[in-house]
Amino acid sequence: MTKAVNEEKMITLETGDGERVDFYVLEETRISGMNYLLVTDAPEDAQEGECYILKDKSKAEEEEAVYEFVEDDGELEYLYKIFTELTEDMDVDLRK
């Protein structure tokens, strides 16, 4: 998936079959040289939305970032704890 970022902290991912999907960036972090995004499918003023963690898999020479959904259970658990701490001062209630 590729992405384009705008000033409103929204990214648009393009799937392998060309479908475009918008996500709102809640938080980002860098761990062991890897960039991660916590995103949601709901705008900030929405009451509920699904959250996802994306990993930046792009290479330095690539013009556009390439993200993939984190699916490994151990990695998800570790990142969930980190993003929970990073968002504790925000009006975000993360639940598994």
Side-chain angles (χ1 to χ4, degrees), residues 9-11 23-28 37-40 44:
K9 290 201 172 203
M10 187 174 119
I11 64 172
F23 290 101
Y24 300 87
V25 178
L26 297 174
E27 188 62 72
E28 40 192 312
L37 298 178
L38 175 65
V39 300
T40 183
E44 286 184 33

Side-chain angles (χ1 to χ4, degrees), residues 27-38 53-60 62 65-70 75 78-79 82-83 86:
E27 188 62 72
E28 40 192 312
T29 192
R30 185 172 182 85
I31 302 168
S32 301
M34 185 70 65
N35 292 323
Y36 294 93
L37 298 178
L38 175 65
I53 298 175
L54 303 176
K55 180 190 305 190
D56 186 349
K57 299 293 286 185
S58 55
K59 295 177 178 58
E62 292 180 304
V66 177
Y67 285 97
E68 66 180 37
F69 290 93
V70 175
E75 187 177 18
Y78 175 72
L79 292 166
I82 290 172
F83 279 119
L86 290 173

